[in-house]
Amino acid sequence: MASFKEIVTKAVIGKAKKTTTSHFQMNTNERPDTVLGCWVINHSFRGRNNNGAVLVSGEFDVNVWYSYENDTKTTVSSARFQYSDPMKIRLKDDQHLTDAAEIIVRSLRQPTVTNVSVENGMVHLDIEKELGIEVVGDTKLKVPVEEDEDEYEEIIDDEEITMADEEEISKVDTEYLG
């Protein structure tokens, strides 16, 4: 009969992903007529425990290329935006999020501008991103333990082959695989 031991180790105790769309407004130096292109760069983020829920805070730069003066000139304007997304992650085995847990955040899909418009000289942006979160914490494993740990197998050197062993060896069909 095997006995069991409990091992305390670090493991992923919660895992989730979330897609969010946020709306931002951007001022430009000139009054834009047409948005010719926009892109998001320099995305950085981190997750932390916020009263038992994960709060992901981040920021990124948005560059907007637009025309102005009746579409006769173009320029690029940049702005830095910040966001804060609360994430409810269900933890395994009824565990609770503590400050001792490690929160790993990954960008599964980089922030992308999904809609852009110009209204009253202001650029309006919808930016979508997908983040994946893993919570690593302490957990317990139960493993079976063999009771007869002191048993060793006897090693027999080739020179110690007995007469009975030689008789068994002579019975081997050497043409079996040939």
Side-chain angles (χ1 to χ4, degrees):
M1 182 169 127
S3 62
F4 290 88
K5 290 201 178 192
E6 285 187 347
I7 298 174
V8 177
T9 186
K10 297 267 185 208
V12 175
I13 60 172
K15 190 174 184 177
K17 68 179 179 176
K18 184 175 182 181
T19 301
T20 58
T21 301
S22 303
H23 183 75
F24 298 98
Q25 295 180 13
M26 183 174 165
N27 286 319
T28 57
N29 293 334
E30 298 80 12
R31 186 175 176 90
D33 294 323
T34 307
V35 173
L36 305 171
C38 49
W39 55 98
V40 180
I41 59 173
N42 301 326
H43 183 211
S44 62
F45 47 85
R46 70 178 199 82
R48 64 180 176 86
N49 179 7
N50 184 32
N51 297 324
V54 174
L55 182 67
V56 177
S57 302
E59 58 188 12
F60 46 74
D61 296 326
V62 176
N63 295 314
V64 176
W65 178 36
Y66 61 93
S67 65
Y68 61 100
E69 289 186 15
N70 293 322
D71 293 327
T72 60
K73 296 181 180 179
T74 67
T75 192
V76 174
S77 286
S78 298
R80 185 153 197 81
F81 295 106
Q82 297 179 342
Y83 65 88
S84 186
D85 292 335
M87 312 264 184
K88 283 201 138 264
I89 297 176
R90 195 171 315 136
L91 301 180
K92 297 175 184 174
D93 301 327
D94 295 324
Q95 294 199 32
H96 301 284
L97 186 61
T98 65
D99 289 333
E102 179 184 359
I103 298 171
I104 301 168
V105 182
R106 290 187 176 86
S107 179
L108 302 177
R109 198 165 14 128
Q110 288 296 327
T112 305
V113 178
T114 57
N115 189 30
V116 62
S117 62
V118 177
E119 295 174 25
N120 300 325
M122 188 84 98
V123 177
H124 296 268
L125 304 157
D126 290 331
I127 298 178
E128 183 179 276
K129 65 187 173 311
E130 184 176 41
L131 299 175
I133 297 95
E134 290 182 352
V135 178
V136 177
D138 289 334
T139 191
K140 290 181 184 178
L141 301 171
K142 283 190 177 184
V143 295
V145 179
E146 290 186 23
E147 292 179 15
D148 297 333
E149 296 178 21
D150 293 336
E151 288 188 22
Y152 292 98
E153 183 179 321
E154 184 72 32
I155 299 175
I156 301 174
D157 291 334
D158 289 344
E159 294 145 6
E160 296 181 15
I161 296 177
T162 64
M163 219 32 159
D165 292 331
E166 286 183 19
E167 189 176 307
E168 286 296 316
I169 291 172
S170 67
K171 291 179 185 176
V172 174
D173 181 7
T174 57
E175 297 297 319
Y176 179 72
L177 294 177

